[in-house]
Amino acid sequence: MSNSESNPSKEDLQVALEALTAAAKGAEKEIKRLRAVVEKADAKLLDQGRLLSSIATGKDSPSEMRERLTASETQNEDLLGRLEQGREAVDRMLAKLRFLEEKK
């Protein structure tokens, strides 16, 4: 093994650092987005708890409950899809980070 193979050049290190920095910023952005999704899901859960209370007390009619249930199910499917997309994006970023770390 030559000296240049065991010791990357300053330029190579700079490129790797920039790529790592970009990947970290991307991961941070994705984490913030996922936190927003979780907050939205928490709010939805709270709303569903209120709905359950109104069902138990008889405040809402069955048709109103059905409409709210349908809307909640649609939102739930949307949020689950977004979470899956977020997981996939984070997995891709982690794979890039691992690649860059192995390249060092």
Side-chain angles (χ1 to χ4, degrees):
M1 184 189 290
S2 72
N3 194 27
S4 65
E5 289 176 1
S6 63
N7 296 320
S9 70
K10 189 174 183 178
E11 293 82 20
D12 289 341
L13 290 174
Q14 185 63 35
V15 169
L17 178 61
E18 288 170 3
L20 184 60
T21 300
K25 286 180 181 179
E28 179 184 25
K29 182 179 178 183
E30 185 63 19
I31 288 169
K32 286 179 181 179
R33 188 188 73 76
L34 289 173
R35 283 183 178 158
V37 169
V38 168
E39 287 175 9
K40 186 175 180 180
D42 285 343
K44 180 181 172 189
L45 182 61
L46 183 61
D47 186 48
Q48 288 176 342
R50 289 182 188 130
L51 175 60
L52 185 57
S53 274
S54 69
I55 292 170
T57 60
K59 290 181 182 178
D60 288 337
S61 72
S63 63
E64 289 172 331
M65 286 186 256
R66 169 62 98 187
E67 289 173 12
R68 291 170 91 185
L69 177 62
T70 301
S72 292
E73 288 172 343
T74 301
Q75 288 176 342
N76 190 40
E77 289 174 14
D78 180 54
L79 290 172
L80 289 173
R82 289 180 185 185
L83 283 172
E84 184 58 31
Q85 289 174 346
R87 285 187 193 108
E88 290 171 1
V90 168
D91 287 342
R92 286 190 303 272
M93 285 183 236
L94 287 173
K96 288 177 185 178
L97 284 171
R98 286 186 195 109
F99 173 77
L100 290 170
E101 286 176 350
E102 290 172 5
K103 201 173 177 181
K104 285 185 184 179

